[in-house]
Amino acid sequence: MQTLDEVNRAVSETLAKLDSLPAEDEHTDELVSNLQELIGKRQLLLDVLLKAPKDEDRELLESQLKLTREFEVLAKSVLQHRQELLHIGRKNKRQVNVYKSIDSNR
């Protein structure tokens, strides 16, 4: 099983890739699926830590909470970016359909 650091790194990389890909790219669905799996793994690893917390785990748990908040901000940013890209795509598609309609009426 992957370590928490490996999962955190993979989540960061996946979010960065999602942010850089265009909305219509076929790899986005795969990346979103991978992100869901990674978040599930991360949650399981954190649950293990939380079942029997020790004093020495406090710093690690605080750093993981901070990282979780950073992931949340980045994920919201990616979501907003993807929604904007999809909206632009729909707008462009409507414009093309209008031009096709005008052309077919000639």
Side-chain angles (χ1 to χ4, degrees), residues 18-95:
L18 276 170
D19 195 32
S20 67
L21 286 177
E24 59 276 351
D25 192 303
E26 65 230 18
H27 293 96
T28 56
D29 291 340
E30 182 182 329
L31 286 173
V32 169
S33 179
N34 290 345
L35 182 61
Q36 286 178 311
E37 288 178 28
L38 289 168
I39 295 297
K41 287 179 186 178
R42 185 173 190 270
Q43 185 61 48
L44 290 174
L45 292 169
L46 289 172
D47 286 345
V48 170
L49 282 174
L50 291 171
K51 283 188 181 178
K54 302 174 190 140
D55 288 339
E56 57 267 11
D57 292 338
R58 180 181 176 94
E59 190 175 313
L60 173 64
L61 290 172
E62 286 177 355
S63 69
Q64 291 304 312
L65 178 61
K66 181 181 176 190
L67 190 56
T68 298
R69 289 181 179 147
E70 291 172 10
F71 285 156
E72 181 182 5
V73 168
L74 187 53
K76 285 180 181 178
S77 171
V78 168
L79 174 64
Q80 182 179 0
H81 181 241
R82 307 224 48 87
Q83 287 175 335
E84 290 169 359
L85 290 174
L86 289 171
H87 177 71
I88 290 169
R90 285 189 202 115
K91 182 180 175 186
N92 290 343
K93 188 174 182 178
R94 279 195 304 266
Q95 288 175 340

Side-chain angles (χ1 to χ4, degrees), residues 6-26:
E6 291 171 340
V7 172
N8 287 337
R9 196 171 17 263
V11 168
S12 294
E13 290 170 1
T14 303
L15 284 169
K17 286 178 187 176
L18 276 170
D19 195 32
S20 67
L21 286 177
E24 59 276 351
D25 192 303
E26 65 230 18

